[in-house]
Amino acid sequence: MAAIPRTLVIGRCRRCGAKLRMYDDYYMCPRCGSLFCIICGEKKLRGRCPFDGSQLIKK
C-alpha cells in the first residue's frame, strides 16, 4: 500500500481534528474559512458553522 504524500493534506477538521486531504469531500465555511470533515459537517453540525452560524459549502 502506497503512502499518501504530505503535500496532499490541506488541513484538519476544526471539530474532531481528522486530516483533510485534497481529493476527499469536506465542508468549508465561506465567511471564516474553517474546514470540517464530512461526518462533522453533515451529522454533527447539520450544515451550519459553529462559529458564525453560516451555511457550510461542500467541496
Side-chain angles (χ1 to χ4, degrees), residues 3-27 35-40:
I4 297 174
R6 292 181 186 226
T7 57
L8 294 179
V9 176
I10 59 171
R12 290 188 173 262
C13 176
R14 288 285 303 250
R15 186 177 178 279
C16 69
K19 288 184 181 179
L20 299 172
R21 292 180 173 84
M22 189 183 324
Y23 301 110
D24 291 344
D25 291 333
Y26 61 93
Y27 282 92
L35 300 174
F36 300 99
C37 67
I38 197 80
I39 294 172
C40 291

